[in-house]
Amino acid sequence: MPEKIMPKLLVFMSIKRKSFYKDKNMLIIYEDKYLDEIINLWNQNVEKDRLLKPWTKDYFKQKFLSNPHFNKELFMMYQENNKIIGIGHASYKSLDSIDPGFISFILVDQQHQRQGIGSSILKALEDKLKTYGKTFVRNLFLSPFNMEWYIDDHYPHDHPGMPAVAQNTDYYFLLMNNGYNIDGQQQDVYYQDIRTYQIPDKIKKTIEENKQIGFNITLYDESKHHGFKSLFEALNNKTWLEVVENNLSKKDPLPMLIIEKEGKILGWTGPLITEKSKRGYFAGIGVHPDVQGHGLGKALFSSLIDYSRQNGAEFMSLFTGHLNPARNIYLGAGFKIIKSFSVLRKNL
């Protein structure tokens, strides 16, 4: 009789042990008490690749907790034996189903990778996004939680946000292996150290030739220049108009470079800022379709670089779609493509 009972008892004990182990591995949502552990996990695991920037408590509070789009249910953590070994974050801008959800990042401690933890966090975030009416995820720079990163081989030069998902990274392969697909133009990042930049002689000649026919590159003066609205309507770019209007609404607007002829604005770039990292800020550049073909775009961009250098900037970085004709302006000014990103999407 004892011989028949013993195997059943062993099976029962095995089941109990397995259940107990599972209880020690679970997904939980953000709570302030985990903040130190989150910061440590992040910093220890981004240092190796030197791609994503490290965090401080103040940074985390400003980036996440103070952001009106932050939802603690969309900041998920994977806990093993009461230790956080993986984190992930998602967001959305509105509850409208036509707007995407975003996955900001998935990070798993290096010693626990390749065990399905990242996929578990990702699936949990996707399921949670569905409860908020999201029907798809699309990862690109429109996310309200865009992550800052260091430029390859040029540390500590940085860029303020990810254009999309960096190609051939662990995160990229995690998404691709979990049903994400490329959905949009490849986004290329351009970079140049500008500490010794000089406007090329060829561009100087173009600037002088255009002056002779009335096209001048100068700083915007509200008392002399007009036509921002008509310029951006012609370029079909409401975003740049908003950038300009927001700047001009400030008590002390930042300077902006323009192309003008007889006071009418025919080209724009700016606002002109040197960031704390010594990066020369770049919001965009546009030339009115009626005056394109005179080399004005290249001349305006070279003037921006030179102005930024004089204003204390040490480098510039920017990104654009690989099919955007503006790439010729950037490459012509000496910029190099240093990293490429893919816009990824998954229907939920």
Side-chain angles (χ1 to χ4, degrees):
M1 191 73 172
E3 292 81 4
K4 294 181 180 178
I5 293 174
M6 187 60 71
K8 294 183 180 179
L9 182 60
L10 287 173
V11 170
F12 176 75
M13 290 176 64
S14 175
I15 292 172
K16 288 288 287 182
R17 188 178 292 111
K18 185 176 181 182
S19 176
F20 177 78
Y21 180 78
K22 279 187 174 180
D23 289 342
K24 290 292 185 178
N25 299 275
M26 56 185 173
L27 283 163
I28 56 177
I29 64 173
Y30 175 82
E31 292 184 54
D32 289 339
K33 67 181 181 180
Y34 295 112
L35 182 53
D36 285 336
E37 201 171 350
I38 290 169
I39 299 294
N40 290 336
L41 175 68
W42 179 270
N43 290 344
Q44 289 170 6
N45 287 278
V46 300
E47 184 178 17
K48 177 180 73 95
D49 295 329
R50 264 195 180 168
L51 176 61
L52 294 167
K53 299 182 73 172
W55 292 346
T56 63
K57 280 187 180 181
D58 288 341
Y59 171 85
F60 186 89
K61 291 174 181 177
Q62 178 184 3
K63 181 75 173 182
F64 293 96
L65 304 185
S66 298
N67 190 314
H69 296 285
F70 180 75
N71 180 339
K72 69 177 185 178
E73 291 189 352
L74 291 171
F75 195 108
M76 306 203 76
M77 302 170 288
Y78 191 93
Q79 191 178 56
E80 179 182 270
N81 296 323
N82 297 316
K83 181 181 179 181
I84 304 298
I85 60 171
I87 54 177
H89 177 255
S91 65
Y92 57 86
K93 285 185 174 179
S94 81
L95 293 174
D96 196 323
S97 63
I98 67 171
D99 291 336
F102 303 95
I103 305 292
S104 308
F105 63 83
I106 305 287
L107 180 140
V108 177
D109 180 68
Q110 293 174 22
Q111 295 182 356
H112 295 84
Q113 292 177 2
R114 307 292 187 269
Q115 298 177 24
I117 296 171
S119 295
S120 296
I121 297 172
L122 178 60
K123 178 66 166 56
L125 290 172
E126 291 169 348
D127 288 344
K128 184 60 70 171
L129 283 171
K130 286 194 285 188
T131 69
Y132 290 102
K134 297 296 100 183
T135 60
F136 68 103
V137 172
R138 193 164 186 256
N139 285 340
L140 71 168
F141 56 86
L142 298 175
S143 166
F145 296 88
N146 211 344
M147 307 305 296
E148 297 88 348
W149 56 286
Y150 289 121
I151 295 171
D152 294 19
D153 301 323
H154 298 286
Y155 178 87
H157 291 176
D158 61 1
H159 192 80
M162 290 278 186
V165 179
Q167 294 178 359
N168 300 323
T169 58
D170 289 343
Y171 181 49
Y172 173 85
F173 290 120
L174 171 67
L175 295 178
M176 293 295 281
N177 289 332
N178 279 276
Y180 285 75
N181 294 290
I182 294 173
D183 180 51
Q185 275 192 61
Q186 173 177 298
Q187 300 293 310
D188 294 327
V189 174
Y190 296 74
Y191 167 88
Q192 184 173 189
D193 186 318
I194 65 170
R195 284 174 289 187
T196 60
Y197 182 81
Q198 298 291 324
I199 297 177
D201 290 340
K202 184 178 180 180
I203 298 296
K204 288 180 180 178
K205 182 179 178 182
T206 299
I207 291 172
E208 289 303 315
E209 289 174 348
N210 278 302
K211 275 186 179 180
Q212 300 302 314
I213 55 176
F215 296 118
N216 300 295
I217 295 175
T218 186
L219 291 174
Y220 170 72
D221 184 333
E222 188 175 10
S223 66
K224 298 178 181 179
H225 307 128
H226 61 88
F228 273 129
K229 186 175 181 181
S230 61
L231 169 64
F232 296 126
E233 284 177 350
L235 293 171
N236 192 29
N237 197 315
K238 293 181 180 179
T239 300
W240 286 349
L241 179 60
E242 291 173 3
V243 169
V244 168
E245 289 178 340
N246 288 338
N247 183 40
L248 295 179
S249 68
K250 296 178 180 178
K251 182 179 179 181
D252 296 307
L254 295 161
M256 298 182 289
L257 278 173
I258 62 167
I259 301 167
E260 65 85 25
K261 184 174 183 178
E262 298 176 352
K264 184 177 181 180
I265 300 169
L266 297 168
W268 165 87
T269 190
L272 303 170
I273 312 167
T274 297
E275 298 174 339
K276 289 183 180 180
S277 65
K278 299 297 184 180
R279 173 179 178 264
Y281 177 78
F282 179 72
I285 184 169
V287 176
H288 198 291
D290 289 348
V291 297
Q292 292 176 6
H294 295 274
L296 290 168
K298 291 181 179 179
L300 181 60
F301 188 63
S302 290
S303 299
L304 169 66
I305 301 169
D306 192 51
Y307 185 102
S308 297
R309 177 189 59 79
Q310 294 179 52
N311 198 40
E314 295 183 356
F315 72 100
M316 289 181 66
S317 59
L318 58 100
F319 71 89
T320 191
H322 75 294
L323 299 178
N324 188 342
R327 70 195 307 272
N328 297 318
I329 294 176
Y330 311 142
L331 293 171
F335 279 65
K336 305 295 183 185
I337 298 174
I338 50 90
K339 202 170 193 65
S340 295
F341 294 73
S342 293
V343 178
L344 299 184
R345 171 179 176 139
K346 179 180 180 180
N347 294 331
L348 300 177

